[in-house]
Amino acid sequence: MPGDIWLQINKVDDSQEHRVRELDKDCKEKFRWGWMEKTATVKTSNGAEVQVKLRDCFRKINTPGVVVCVTCSNQTVKYANRGVSSLVDHVKSEKHKKNAAATRQTHTIRSILD
């Protein structure tokens, strides 16, 4: 998929801490790899609460103050002003929950067919 190729080219991983510091030098909130270890409690459409690991949703890219949400087809999420709160708010958004539900359904169907 073209989006997957784009992400592979633009992704920054945790071995490139120096690159992230340079990218975010002018941002109010600087990206921290520790954010990826956090979880957010999200209410599903049926009222159940699930724990969402931020590392399962987001990838740091080669753009200051921005990550992409892989659950939402690489939608950009800006953290430069609000930090990790921006990521948590995104996973709690209706759009993200809808995309996550569709992904879970697809994985369930694939596992049944395999």
Side-chain angles (χ1 to χ4, degrees):
M1 295 173 78
D4 293 336
I5 294 168
W6 176 87
L7 182 59
Q8 289 302 315
I9 293 169
N10 290 289
K11 182 173 79 166
V12 179
D13 64 38
D14 59 357
S15 70
Q16 299 170 305
E17 179 67 33
H18 64 284
R19 178 72 182 128
V20 174
R21 279 195 303 267
E22 179 62 26
L23 284 169
D24 284 358
K25 68 181 179 195
D26 295 326
C27 296
K28 177 182 171 189
E29 293 287 333
K30 279 107 174 98
F31 181 83
R32 294 177 184 88
W33 290 106
W35 294 350
M36 297 296 102
E37 301 308 314
K38 294 187 180 290
T39 59
T41 303
V42 177
K43 281 197 177 192
T44 63
S45 58
N46 65 3
E49 289 187 349
V50 295
Q51 297 296 312
V52 177
K53 295 177 183 173
L54 297 184
R55 73 170 167 251
D56 293 340
C57 304
F58 298 104
R59 302 294 180 269
K60 176 65 184 126
I61 58 170
N62 202 16
T63 304
V66 176
V67 293
V68 293
C69 178
V70 294
T71 306
C72 295
S73 301
N74 296 333
Q75 174 186 340
T76 59
V77 177
K78 296 177 183 176
Y79 62 81
N81 291 319
R82 297 183 49 241
V84 71
S85 298
S86 298
L87 281 61
V88 171
D89 288 350
H90 175 79
V91 297
K92 292 181 177 183
S93 72
E94 291 304 316
K95 178 180 179 179
H96 181 89
K97 289 191 284 187
K98 179 180 170 188
N99 288 330
T103 300
R104 280 192 301 276
Q105 186 176 18
T106 300
H107 286 263
T108 301
I109 293 169
R110 282 186 187 157
S111 66
I112 292 170
L113 297 175
D114 287 340

